[in-house]
Amino acid sequence: YNHMSIYSESDRYMWVFCITYYLAETCLIRLKIVVNKNNNKKENRKGKIMDFIELLKVIFLGIVEGITEWLPISSTGHMILVDEFLKLNVTEDFKNLFFVVIQLGAILAVVVLYWNKLWPFYIRPISKKQQAVLNRHGAVSRGILTFVEKFCDKEKWVLWFKIIVACIPTIVIALPFNDVIEEKFNNYVVVAIALIVYGILFIVIKNYNKRRRPTCTNLENLSFKTALIIGLFQVLSVVPGTSRSGSTIIGGILAGTSRTVAAEFTFFLGIPVMFGASLLKILKFGFSFTGTEVMILIVGMVVAFVVSIIAIKFLMGYIKKHDFKAFGWYRIALGILVLGYFIGKTLLGCK
């Protein structure tokens, strides 16, 4: 049967463009209001410069998030490190919220790029033969089965069930300890060690995987058992510096998937995880945002969305011809630099 998507690809990009344009325009209006608050010309000029600098900081953080969220180099680790040199003029609570919620922009890029693989509904005609089979059922069951046959893509529903299964370990194991982990492990020592350890793992696994052929080369063949294994590896990513994508890609490769399948399933797995994490952060913070805070969130997410599209396309093109060894060496080098910088800073007594 010919499956017809409810929205065409051009429609989806048009919606994204319109929403992005509206949000950007809203941010610019908000920035103008903030700048024009001061009547004094000198104060007005000073406020404008300060707001523009803060806006540049948010844009830079959005770029960092968009690049590092999907490459296996740890977005949270990079955000913590960037914060050492580029501090936003916001409260500590809002900054912690921003570092999580900005990921929504990155995950929206996955939804847009992989819409055809993720959207579980379509419209298709039902043949006379199928209708005759459906007519044998009772009114209620016939209605349900007709809806499923006409509007539901069964393969995509199965994929979503696999994603849900992979999320279970994070919900059961990681979620209860989230606050403790944030309090104890959000520091440069943990980030640096995690960067180095996972960098070494990427190189070791690459060498180990040389002689192995993947047993799963497409998402349809991904078993629920493999999805659960990948989900267990995702639990490791609660430690800053490990990388959620890095953990799940390693798990997927060790479980026998190809690099492409491991990367794509990692992208999809991020949708419920990041939405859930953002929702928890917002509920914990409350909905009492200032206009400036709303502007910061929107700009950060929009920039992360645009950059993420580029980063995802780059990664998928890269892994078709290369392995993850280069990312391993990058992590090791960055981890050593981070340790060296902060140890030197401590020895010199710098604040």
Side-chain angles (χ1 to χ4, degrees):
Y1 301 102
N2 293 322
H3 298 179
M4 184 173 65
S5 176
I6 295 175
Y7 298 108
S8 67
E9 186 173 1
S10 60
D11 289 335
R12 293 198 304 275
Y13 279 104
M14 180 58 70
W15 273 107
V16 171
F17 172 79
C18 291
I19 292 169
T20 303
Y21 178 82
Y22 172 77
L23 294 177
E25 186 178 39
T26 302
C27 293
L28 289 173
I29 292 171
R30 171 61 195 168
L31 183 62
K32 186 177 179 181
I33 291 171
V34 172
V35 169
N36 290 334
K37 274 184 177 180
N38 299 312
N39 294 322
N40 185 279
K41 289 184 178 181
K42 290 183 180 179
E43 288 297 318
N44 187 24
R45 191 179 298 113
K46 182 181 177 182
K48 185 174 181 179
I49 293 171
M50 288 178 68
D51 284 329
F52 182 67
I53 291 171
E54 288 301 305
L55 190 63
L56 288 178
K57 289 179 185 178
V58 174
I59 290 171
F60 183 77
L61 288 168
I63 293 171
V64 172
E65 167 62 27
I67 294 172
T68 59
E69 183 61 51
W70 306 114
L71 303 186
I73 53 179
S74 177
S75 63
T76 304
H78 277 76
M79 295 292 273
I80 292 172
L81 297 175
V82 170
D83 182 58
E84 170 68 18
F85 305 99
L86 197 70
K87 294 186 180 295
L88 283 174
N89 186 24
V90 295
T91 65
E92 190 68 22
D93 287 341
F94 177 76
K95 183 177 69 178
N96 292 333
L97 169 79
F98 173 74
F99 284 172
V100 174
V101 176
I102 193 177
Q103 296 173 343
L104 290 178
I107 205 62
L108 181 60
V110 173
V111 174
V112 171
L113 288 173
Y114 289 96
W115 181 268
N116 290 332
K117 288 190 175 184
L118 291 169
W119 185 245
F121 298 103
Y122 54 49
I123 301 174
R124 71 173 182 179
I126 297 178
S127 67
K128 292 181 179 179
K129 185 178 179 180
Q130 278 184 313
Q131 191 62 57
V133 173
L134 292 171
N135 288 337
R136 296 173 189 169
H137 294 82
V140 176
S141 59
R142 183 173 66 248
I144 295 171
L145 291 171
T146 299
F147 178 83
V148 170
E149 287 295 329
K150 190 171 183 178
F151 298 108
C152 297
D153 190 325
K154 296 172 187 175
E155 287 185 358
K156 291 184 177 66
W157 278 107
V158 170
L159 173 61
W160 275 108
F161 287 135
K162 291 173 184 176
I163 292 170
I164 292 170
V165 167
C167 288
I168 292 173
T170 300
I171 296 170
V172 174
I173 301 171
L175 190 58
F177 303 100
N178 184 57
D179 290 339
V180 177
I181 291 168
E182 279 192 2
E183 182 182 346
K184 302 293 183 183
F185 295 101
N186 267 12
N187 58 73
Y188 76 88
V189 176
V190 174
V191 170
I193 291 173
L195 283 168
I196 294 170
V197 170
Y198 268 69
I200 294 170
L201 278 176
F202 269 119
I203 296 169
V204 170
I205 289 170
K206 182 265 176 185
N207 293 331
Y208 164 75
N209 216 45
K210 265 184 180 179
R211 302 176 187 85
R212 298 174 69 220
R213 287 191 175 183
T215 56
C216 175
T217 55
N218 58 68
L219 287 169
E220 289 75 19
N221 292 336
L222 185 77
S223 67
F224 281 91
K225 179 183 176 182
T226 302
L228 182 61
I229 292 171
I230 294 173
L232 288 169
F233 272 84
Q234 180 173 244
V235 174
L236 301 174
S237 67
V238 296
V239 178
T242 54
S243 169
R244 191 193 65 81
S245 61
S247 298
T248 50
I249 287 172
I250 286 174
I253 291 173
L254 289 176
T257 70
S258 66
R259 293 192 297 268
T260 301
V261 171
E264 285 191 347
F265 192 70
T266 290
F267 298 159
F268 303 159
L269 188 53
I271 296 173
V273 170
M274 291 182 192
F275 271 109
S278 297
L279 179 61
L280 287 175
K281 278 287 185 184
I282 291 172
L283 290 175
K284 186 177 178 181
F285 183 84
F287 292 89
S288 56
F289 296 105
T290 66
T292 302
E293 287 172 344
V294 171
M295 181 189 74
I296 289 172
L297 288 174
I298 292 174
V299 172
M301 286 190 289
V302 169
V303 174
F305 165 75
V306 174
V307 177
S308 287
I309 287 181
I310 299 169
I312 290 169
K313 288 185 174 182
F314 163 77
L315 181 63
M316 295 309 296
Y318 178 86
I319 62 176
K320 287 177 181 178
K321 299 177 181 179
H322 307 88
D323 52 43
F324 294 99
K325 199 171 183 178
F327 297 113
W329 286 116
Y330 169 81
R331 292 178 64 101
I332 293 170
L334 181 61
I336 292 171
L337 283 173
V338 169
L339 275 179
Y341 169 78
F342 282 101
I343 289 172
K345 183 180 177 181
T346 302
L347 293 174
L348 293 172
C350 299
K351 293 184 179 180

